Amino acid sequence: MSTGLLLLLSLSAFIFNVNGEDCIAGVVRDLNIDSTANLTWAVHPTEPCQIDQFLVEVASGTTVQFRFYVNDTHAHLPFLDVCQKWMYVVTPITEGVLGYRRELTDYIPLPPDTDLTVNHFMAQKVADGVVHLQWNLTNPIPGNCFYRLEYRLVMIDLQSGDVTDTYIRAQQTNLHLLSPCVPYELSIRAINTVDGVNVEGPSKSVNVEMDPYPEDPPTLSAIETTPTGINMVWTLESYLKNRCPVINFFVDGGSNFNITQPIRDHFGRAPVAVNLTHLQPDRMYYFKVLVENLGGMSPVVPMAAQTLELKPSIQ
Ligand SMILES: *[C@@H]1O[C@H](CO)[C@@H](O)[C@H](O)[C@H]1NC(C)=O
Ligand SMILES: *[C@@H]1O[C@H](CO)[C@@H](O)[C@H](O)[C@H]1NC(C)=O
Ligand SMILES: *[C@@H]1O[C@H](CO)[C@@H](O)[C@H](O)[C@H]1NC(C)=O
Ligand SMILES: *[C@@H]1O[C@H](CO)[C@@H](O)[C@H](O)[C@H]1NC(C)=O
Ligand SMILES: *[C@@H]1O[C@H](CO)[C@@H](O)[C@H](O)[C@H]1NC(C)=O
């Protein structure tokens, strides 16, 4: 090669002189990197220029790390780090003149025979209804870029049989809203997507059961007062959020009244109706409402309600 040609090739693809006879090749097609780290492309069938060589550049970020010439429409790049995202640039060359460049930015796919066996899978309760999950592979991916794989987490509610699927690109996650008093089976497996096909590894399971915890405070859904009574309907925390059996409903009015209403808990978890009777007319009553389940007492709801005035017509 002449010094002029060397100089030309070492310049960026866009900066060169074009004289009338130069043929500038168009962009290559089907630029792809496969799981064997083989970069392949094709020349457009109607490409008018005679292409002698291709300039292949591999950059990470804005820095070109590798630059070489090939005569074929493929280049084998097994030396690239699979954890890193690379930009591959292929530029056709015709009689020493650079054509148009084609770019592709991608990781090198993991080989189809990557070992997907999950090694440790641990579940740790971190708060009410929250479990921290962590796992790893028996054979870590070189460079330990675990995010190159996807993981499928299956949660089975062993009481209802409900199954929930979650896909995660990490080796840990927090699982929320697990109901207490319900046994769950959690299983994880790694998935490697190779050329659009999912290769699944064996699954690893753990069982968890959240410790019982109290209900959220009940909420007042209806109230009606008469001169001698206060009729209320209270809604309890959803059965789906807290499946620990509800035991008692309390309306504590100190020396005026103190009601303990036993609850027979079932799937629907019906609202609780409580009628305070034999009260004094036109009087403010203060009381506390709370609910007890297998996990203990809920927070207290402080209440104040006034009975109606006794009208002469009612007696
Ligand atoms: C890369 O792909 C090309 C075209 O399919 C093929 O001819 C070549 O043998 C492959 N190289 C390697 C190292 O697999
Ligand atoms: C590739 O092509 C160039 C120019 O046509 C030639 O000089 C060179 O020897 C070829 N290289 C190989 C490895 O075939
Ligand atoms: C997986 O995690 C466990 C527990 O944290 C650790 O002891 C083990 O060394 C890890 N294995 C790999 C291959 O990283
Ligand atoms: C009301 O009854 C509950 C349950 O029996 C009891 O714990 C509470 O101390 C009582 N309240 C009063 C003011 O006596
Ligand atoms: C409470 O009072 C309402 C309205 O008078 C009545 O419909 C309901 O049956 C009563 N409930 C109980 C549990 O006594």
Side-chain angles (χ1 to χ4, degrees), residues 220-234 249 251 257 259 261 272-279 285 287 303 305-308:
L220 183 66
S221 50
I223 185 162
E224 182 193 58
T225 53
T226 66
T228 59
I230 300 170
N231 302 331
M232 299 176 290
V233 180
W234 289 85
F249 190 84
V251 181
F257 49 83
I259 296 169
Q261 192 158 315
V272 180
V274 183
N275 293 354
L276 307 176
T277 52
H278 308 298
L279 304 180
Y285 285 90
F287 51 97
M303 279 289 296
Q306 185 155 14
T307 48
L308 296 183

Side-chain angles (χ1 to χ4, degrees), residues 159 179-183 209-215 236-249 262-267 269 291-298:
Q159 213 174 63
S179 174
C181 303
V182 176
E209 182 166 339
M210 303 305 287
D211 300 328
Y213 56 83
E215 286 258 301
L236 304 181
E237 185 184 24
S238 158
Y239 177 82
L240 296 174
K241 265 187 79 187
N242 189 334
R243 279 197 259 162
C244 293
V246 174
I247 304 164
N248 286 309
F249 190 84
I263 305 285
R264 188 172 297 151
D265 202 28
H266 55 87
F267 184 78
R269 193 163 285 168
V291 61
E292 179 185 20
N293 72 357
L294 210 61
M297 297 291 185
S298 74

Side-chain angles (χ1 to χ4, degrees), residues 31 33 85-88 103-107:
L31 184 56
I33 181 106
K85 207 175 222 180
W86 298 98
M87 181 170 79
Y88 316 95
E103 291 175 7
L104 168 73
T105 300
D106 207 347
Y107 296 97

Side-chain angles (χ1 to χ4, degrees), residues 9-26:
L9 291 179
S10 61
L11 289 173
S12 150
F14 295 117
I15 308 165
F16 56 92
N17 287 320
V18 182
N19 65 48
E21 290 116 57
D22 286 340
C23 190
I24 301 167

Side-chain angles (χ1 to χ4, degrees), residues 45-61:
T46 62
E47 170 61 55
C49 303
Q50 171 66 46
I51 296 170
D52 310 320
Q53 274 186 314
F54 298 90
L55 170 62
V56 176
E57 291 164 299
V58 182
S60 76

Side-chain angles (χ1 to χ4, degrees), residues 38 45 214:
N38 196 10

